[in-house]
Structure formats: structure tokens, C-alpha cells
Amino acid sequence: MTELFSQAWMQAYAEKWNQEPELADALNQIHFNSVIGYGFEDESEPRGVLTIVDGKVIEASAYNGQKLNWDLRADKDHWQQWVAKGLNMMGLSMAYMSRKLQFRVGDYLAMIKDPRMAGPFIKSFSVMGRV
């Protein structure tokens, strides 16, 4: 298995993201543009980054100082659990409230209140499981 959030993993994730209509197409409908960092809670910087334009990933890379719109962090065990099993709305709420999933950058409350964003966000976890 490729290391979580490595360059190769991020590129495979980007490919799966762009193939998933409930993610890429749904975000395209709201013209979602963002730079999302993924990493571990005990590290000062994220490891991997997706750059998204109109819902599609146009770049997947290692973090190199990019300005982030979202920076998602958790410990390695929780990331692996979510990759293996996905995450539903209840699990997401519990992970956020217990700080198992941290939003170091980004507005969780605004995102979760907008079903056009919340649905694809939840879907992104199941897509991680396809990598």
C-alpha cells in the first residue's frame, strides 16, 4: 500500500476524485475551487495537497507552502479507519466535535450547513478508500 498522503497516493486519489460524479460533478455544479491540504495532527504542515477547479482536481502534490483553503488533520489511525470504512454525517460530526478530525484551515460549520458541499465532502472519504 502506498503511504497515505504521499505524492503517489495523492495522484491516485486525484484520479479517483475526478472519476466520481458525486464528488467532481457535484462540486462542478457549484463552481467549487479550493486548495485542500491533508496531513497528520502531530505535524506542523500537511503532507499532501489537492488543487481543485470547478470540482475537478487539476493538481495533486506534496505540500510546498501553498496557500490552503482547507487543512484537514487527524492521527494516522483515524485516517486509516476512515479510508477503510468511509465516514457518514454522524461519524463526521463526532470526529469534528471530539477533535479527531481537525480543520486547521477552513470553515467546518459553513461547509456542513450547505448540502451541496457536505455531501461531496462525505463522499471524499469513501473515494479515499479506492486508492
Side-chain angles (χ1 to χ4, degrees):
M1 180 179 172
T2 306
E3 184 180 359
L4 198 59
F5 309 132
S6 68
Q7 179 82 25
W9 193 93
M10 293 304 293
Q11 289 174 341
Y13 181 39
E15 183 178 308
K16 301 297 184 192
W17 175 299
N18 287 341
Q19 293 170 352
E20 176 52 60
E22 291 181 50
L23 190 50
D25 293 350
L27 291 173
N28 180 31
Q29 291 177 6
I30 62 169
H31 305 288
F32 181 80
N33 301 310
S34 201
V35 180
I36 306 171
Y38 297 87
F40 301 110
E41 66 181 0
D42 62 345
E43 296 177 352
S44 62
E45 297 179 334
R47 290 195 175 194
V49 176
L50 296 181
T51 302
I52 299 155
V53 174
D54 286 331
K56 294 270 189 191
V57 178
I58 62 163
E59 184 179 357
S61 63
Y63 179 73
N64 191 24
Q66 298 95 320
K67 182 176 179 355
L68 301 172
N69 302 104
W70 301 91
D71 184 355
L72 307 175
R73 304 296 186 90
D75 66 30
K76 190 172 275 190
D77 289 341
H78 284 103
W79 276 123
Q80 289 174 336
Q81 176 185 339
W82 299 327
V83 167
K85 296 180 180 178
L87 197 59
N88 60 25
M89 193 63 83
M90 178 67 80
L92 173 61
S93 295
M94 294 299 291
Y96 175 74
M97 289 188 310
S98 65
R99 303 231 354 112
K100 291 176 182 164
L101 178 61
Q102 299 170 20
F103 287 69
R104 297 217 176 142
V105 176
D107 187 346
Y108 169 80
L109 293 175
M111 180 271 300
I112 208 68
K113 289 178 183 177
D114 185 345
R116 300 170 309 159
M117 288 180 64
F121 183 75
I122 295 291
K123 189 64 168 181
S124 73
F125 285 87
S126 65
V127 170
M128 285 180 182
R130 298 181 200 158
V131 175

